[in-house]
Amino acid sequence: MTRIIFKIGQETLSATLDDTAAARDFASMLPLTITLSDYHGIEKVGDLGRELDSAGMPPSYEPKAGDITQYAPWKNLAIFVAPFSNSRGLVRLGQFDGDISPLEGTDDVTVSIELAD
């Protein structure tokens, strides 16, 4: 499993990526700076520009708060701040290790994502 960090202003959030092709593909894109926008108060989404390698992944996933995913049809990084129903095309990448409150709210959030030391 790969440890990553999200930097939001002065805040640093740690997360752990799963040991999957999709998560390894995401890790290969780091470091990355992306603007995340609110999507219905359930998730923060931002364009990754391409679909990640989802070989061997189930066709759908039921996300929980703190999950890091990609919604493959839109090529979005989707970070869930609340649980949601099982969704086709959603690929789990990993999860935050603790508090995600800096991601909550309706404002856009610019995050820098990098591999942890």
Side-chain angles (χ1 to χ4, degrees):
M1 294 202 267
T2 302
R3 312 275 285 153
I4 61 173
I5 57 173
F6 285 69
K7 293 181 179 178
I8 307 163
Q10 300 300 315
E11 302 277 346
T12 299
L13 307 178
S14 63
T16 303
L17 295 178
D18 297 338
D19 186 17
T20 63
R24 287 188 296 273
D25 193 11
F26 177 64
S28 76
M29 297 176 72
L30 303 180
L32 174 70
T33 299
I34 188 170
T35 299
L36 301 172
S37 301
D38 178 68
Y39 193 75
H40 300 294
I42 296 170
E43 59 190 292
K44 292 286 190 181
V45 298
D47 183 28
L48 282 179
R50 68 176 178 87
E51 188 175 340
L52 298 172
D53 177 1
S54 60
M57 300 298 290
S60 64
Y61 178 72
E62 184 174 341
K64 297 162 191 55
D67 279 352
I68 303 164
T69 67
Q70 181 182 48
Y71 184 60
W74 293 351
K75 302 176 183 84
N76 281 347
L77 179 66
I79 298 173
F80 283 82
V81 296
F84 194 64
S85 60
N86 195 344
S87 300
R88 188 163 193 73
L90 200 59
V91 177
R92 180 183 150 99
L93 303 175
Q95 67 185 23
F96 285 91
D97 299 329
D99 180 41
I100 60 168
S101 61
L103 293 169
E104 296 172 346
T106 58
D107 293 338
D108 288 357
V109 178
T110 299
V111 299
S112 295
I113 310 167
E114 56 192 61
L115 296 171
D117 292 331

